[in-house]
Amino acid sequence: MHHERITGSKRPHAQRSERVGVTILCEVRQGTRPWKMARLEDLSPGGFRIAWFPEARPELPLRIRIPGMQLLTARICWERDAVIGCEFEAPLHIAVFEHIVQSTQTA
């Protein structure tokens, strides 16, 4: 069991885990459209960045399948330079986030 004392900071992992550069090949889709492969590049507990895909529509929820994870829902927040910024419907638990990051760094 790992117990942390929280002194001074409300989120002890905040600085270290805000945003991590990763490269994960995942699947995305909106509505009933077919699943498309996409490259997830930036990950934080609250969201991610993926390569833009032609059918992306900001008004529709985005479903994302990261290998080894449950299906996640996000919304498109911005699009620029062939990149889409998305926010998870519910932030990732810190343990789940760290698991994803560790699995990409050992692959």
Side-chain angles (χ1 to χ4, degrees):
M1 294 266 171
H2 178 70
H3 297 283
E4 287 184 301
R5 288 184 339 162
I6 300 175
T7 55
S9 172
K10 292 181 187 145
R11 295 179 54 203
H13 294 291
Q15 284 76 29
R16 151 169 98 79
S17 64
E18 275 309 307
R19 184 170 303 276
V20 175
V22 296
T23 301
I24 303 170
L25 203 55
C26 60
E27 294 179 285
V28 296
R29 96 181 210 184
Q30 289 185 297
T32 57
R33 293 193 167 120
W35 289 95
K36 300 268 188 197
M37 294 304 287
R39 192 177 65 243
L40 187 148
E41 294 180 328
D42 237 7
L43 181 69
S44 74
F48 56 94
R49 204 177 71 200
I50 60 171
W52 180 83
F53 56 101
E55 303 85 16
R57 293 176 49 197
E59 69 274 11
L60 292 177
L62 180 79
R63 305 266 191 263
I64 182 167
R65 286 197 294 216
I66 297 171
M69 298 295 305
Q70 66 187 33
L71 186 66
L72 299 167
T73 302
R75 70 178 183 88
I76 296 174
C77 297
W78 53 264
E79 174 192 331
R80 71 174 168 267
D81 300 328
V83 175
I84 299 171
C86 301
E87 178 182 61
F88 288 119
E89 185 177 74
L92 296 176
H93 185 279
I94 192 69
V96 172
F97 170 74
E98 288 178 350
H99 171 73
I100 295 169
V101 171
Q102 286 172 358
S103 67
T104 63
Q105 292 174 344
T106 57

